[in-house]
Each structure stands twice: as structure tokens, then as C-alpha cells.
Amino acid sequence: SMGQNILLWKVKNGVCPEAVDSLVITVKEFTVPSLLTPNMDGKNDYFKVMGLETLGKTELVIFDRRGARVYQNNDYKNDWNGVDHKGNFLPEDTYFYILKSESGKNLNGFVVLRK
């Protein structure tokens, strides 16, 4: 998860004294998928941005390679599955995204859509 994560563990084998320790892992970057395969097999079906919840309200805009806007959601919740603004599945291709958050953090890049 984004932010500070604490990993705790305990080792007990019955012979040696119990050992306990912890490790703090801080995740600062977002993970944005570069491949979307919306065939509903449970893998890469949605454009799921790890860490999106830390941005607050976020807008997602998807463009095709000609620069035409094909999808927009003003309050994105990791639920885009390769459809256009009418709900029709887009053809396999490379698409470009812009994520704009109310916190001021913006992300952009591309995602490849395969079925």
C-alpha cells in the first residue's frame, strides 16, 4: 500500500527463544498498469492504479492515438475496463491517459488494450 507499511514477524521453533522483529517499508510511487486485457478472467481486467486512494477525487481521461478523447470519468474509482464514453468496448490499440487529482498530483502515460 502507499505510504508507510510495517512488516511484523515472529519466529518460534520450540528450541531457541522466540525472536520478534519488524521492518518499515515506505511506498512513495504509484503503480500504473501498462496493459489492459478486459476479458474478465480476473487478470488485468481494469485500469487499476495502485495508490489512487491517496490522491482524493481523481479524474481519468483516455485518448486514442489520434488524440481524440474516448473516455472520461470525473471521479475515477479504478473501474475502467476498456470501454468508450458510450460503454462500447474499444478496439485493441495503445491509448493514452491523464489522471488529474484534486491534491495536485497528475499522472500521464499509455496503456495497451488487448482482448
Side-chain angles (χ1 to χ4, degrees):
S1 297
M2 291 293 295
Q4 198 172 65
N5 299 274
I6 301 173
L7 174 64
L8 303 170
W9 72 86
K10 184 186 298 188
V11 177
K12 184 177 177 181
N13 66 8
V15 178
C16 298
E18 185 176 280
V20 179
D21 206 347
S22 64
L23 175 67
V24 177
I25 301 170
T26 303
V27 179
K28 296 181 180 179
E29 294 297 320
F30 295 90
T31 303
V32 182
S34 59
L35 176 67
L36 187 65
T37 58
N39 57 9
M40 298 308 150
D41 67 352
K43 300 175 186 170
N44 302 316
D45 294 324
Y46 296 94
F47 185 71
K48 187 173 181 182
V49 179
M50 302 303 287
L52 182 69
E53 64 280 356
T54 66
L55 295 175
K57 185 176 178 182
T58 304
E59 175 186 27
L60 172 67
V61 183
I62 304 290
F63 300 92
D64 66 13
R65 65 176 58 243
R66 295 182 321 262
R69 183 175 55 203
V70 295
Y71 178 83
Q72 182 173 359
N73 185 324
N74 293 328
D75 191 13
Y76 187 60
K77 303 287 186 204
N78 279 333
D79 54 359
W80 183 62
N81 62 344
V83 297
D84 65 14
H85 60 278
K86 295 179 183 177
N88 301 314
F89 281 101
L90 293 166
E92 291 186 353
D93 205 346
T94 299
Y95 293 88
F96 302 89
Y97 66 84
I98 298 175
L99 282 164
K100 300 177 190 174
S101 75
E102 67 182 3
S103 68
K105 175 89 172 166
N106 296 325
L107 302 169
N108 59 66
F110 71 92
V111 61
V112 176
L113 180 62
R114 297 284 180 249
K115 301 216 170 133

